[in-house]
Amino acid sequence: MALSILRRLGFLLLTMALVSAAVFFISEIVPLDVARNILGQFATDEQVAALRERMGLDRPAHVRYAEWLARLVQGDLGVSTLSGTPVVPLILRRVGNSAILAAVAFLAIMPLGLLLGTLAGLWEGRFLDRVISVGGLVSTSTPPFASGVVLILLFALWLQWLPGTSALDTETWAWEVPSKLALPVLALILADVGYVARMTRASVAEVMRTAYVRTAILKGLPFHRVVVHHVLRNALLAPITVVALHLNWLMGGLVVVESLFGFPGLGRLMLEAALNKDVPVIEAGALVATFIAVASQCAADITYTALNPRIRYR
């Protein structure tokens, strides 16, 4: 197990290096002059050339990338070309806000999805199963921007219970205004809970048809003991993969929800950086997203081993 974890840590570092190089050199291909974009279209060529020299943009791409890696080892991710602020505090604040949003949504999606999926799988083919399956299919098929618009119309414009925007005006962190988290969290729940429920339902229904579960029921064991000790332990192996994938999606795929509600998170920051070719921010955001993706998958593998001791990594 320890050797497997070390291999995965090495894979994590290699993946982050490859992603950073890919993002950096792909950004060089995009036909956008950063200096011209900062100064505006009415700046003279001499002013643009002077800014490019001051920012080091006149040097070869591989030289600038090597310098960026050297600063990265020292914890310096550079300065945003769009806002002129250091990247590290900017990324940390946006990642913190996205982590708050993702954590609240995750803590609601996973228990609710697992519960609904378990109930549907235990009573496969019955009315409750059909209601949960159809409802999950409808919620999963609805894109977050569509459900988000409906939520804004319903709770912000019609009922006027919640604010229609999640922009932080005077607040520093998202937890200071829970009401501004409500609609983005609801949009994420509607987009994801049905998928988790359907995956869990399929896994539970498959385990319920196995011989050892039928034997436990015929032996006269209470139904709740059969479910807890025989069904869930084996049925939850497949949903673990879903949980790991959704950690990636919640942190790296919040662009639509954050843009729709004006939420100052990592997804919206990455979108703004990509539109303005803010390479330092794009690099830092890509590294954070890559780290979350690989680390969550490693955590899922460890959980597999805990639930199924027959799995061993060498």
Side-chain angles (χ1 to χ4, degrees):
M1 174 64 72
L3 183 59
S4 174
I5 293 177
L6 290 177
R7 282 202 304 263
R8 291 187 177 277
L9 289 177
F11 175 72
L12 170 62
L13 295 176
L14 177 61
T15 303
M16 293 177 67
L18 293 177
V19 168
S20 66
V23 171
F24 187 92
F25 289 105
I26 289 175
S27 65
E28 294 293 319
I29 303 175
V30 179
L32 177 64
D33 191 335
V34 177
R36 172 67 67 180
N37 187 64
I38 294 175
L39 295 177
Q41 58 179 339
F42 298 107
T44 64
D45 294 338
E46 290 76 12
Q47 292 173 326
V48 173
L51 181 59
R52 285 179 57 83
E53 182 178 358
R54 188 166 66 251
M55 297 176 64
L57 298 176
D58 56 337
R59 291 175 294 173
H62 66 277
V63 174
R64 289 185 281 116
Y65 178 69
E67 293 175 349
W68 181 85
L69 286 180
R71 292 195 303 269
L72 174 63
V73 176
Q74 303 173 5
D76 181 11
L77 294 177
V79 177
S80 169
T81 59
L82 179 62
S83 62
T85 58
V87 172
V88 172
L90 179 63
I91 284 287
L92 289 178
R93 177 168 297 181
R94 293 298 188 98
V95 169
N97 286 332
S98 288
I100 294 170
L101 178 60
V104 174
F106 183 82
L107 292 176
I109 290 169
M110 293 309 162
L112 182 59
L114 294 175
L115 175 62
L116 293 176
T118 301
L119 293 176
L122 292 177
W123 285 278
E124 182 183 10
R126 300 186 183 181
F127 177 75
L128 179 61
D129 174 31
R130 297 182 185 278
V131 171
I132 294 175
S133 297
V134 173
L137 181 62
V138 172
S139 66
T140 304
S141 303
T142 306
F145 69 85
S147 59
V149 171
V150 173
L151 291 174
I152 292 175
L153 293 175
L154 178 61
F155 291 102
L157 298 181
W158 183 32
L159 298 176
Q160 296 184 355
W161 289 353
L162 297 169
T165 176
S166 299
L168 303 182
D169 301 322
T170 59
E171 304 84 9
T172 303
W173 296 99
W175 65 63
E176 299 179 17
V177 279
S179 61
K180 292 186 177 181
L181 287 172
L183 290 184
V185 168
L186 284 176
L188 293 174
I189 291 175
L190 291 177
D192 252 18
V193 71
Y195 182 71
V196 177
R198 287 173 63 83
M199 290 291 295
T200 307
R201 181 255 182 203
S203 183
V204 171
E206 181 180 359
V207 173
M208 286 293 294
R209 292 191 292 266
T210 58
Y212 65 85
V213 171
R214 290 197 300 267
T215 301
I217 295 175
L218 292 175
K219 287 173 59 178
L221 291 178
F223 186 69
H224 70 276
R225 290 190 60 188
V226 174
V227 172
V228 173
H229 295 285
H230 297 279
V231 176
L232 292 182
R233 184 178 181 86
N234 296 281
L236 289 181
L237 287 174
I240 287 176
T241 304
V242 179
V243 171
L245 292 175
H246 277 69
L247 283 174
N248 303 336
W249 186 87
L250 284 173
M251 287 301 298
L254 293 174
V255 178
V256 174
V257 173
E258 291 181 354
S259 299
L260 177 63
F261 293 98
F263 186 83
L266 178 63
R268 186 181 173 195
L269 177 65
M270 290 291 288
L271 176 61
E272 295 172 351
L275 292 176
N276 294 278
K277 201 182 179 184
D278 194 345
V279 176
V281 174
I282 296 175
E283 285 275 3
L287 290 179
V288 170
T290 303
F291 174 81
I292 294 172
V294 180
S296 61
Q297 191 59 54
C298 182
D301 292 340
I302 296 174
T303 308
Y304 268 122
T305 306
L307 290 177
N308 191 349
R310 293 174 297 179
I311 300 177
R312 290 291 182 267
Y313 297 97
R314 297 179 181 179

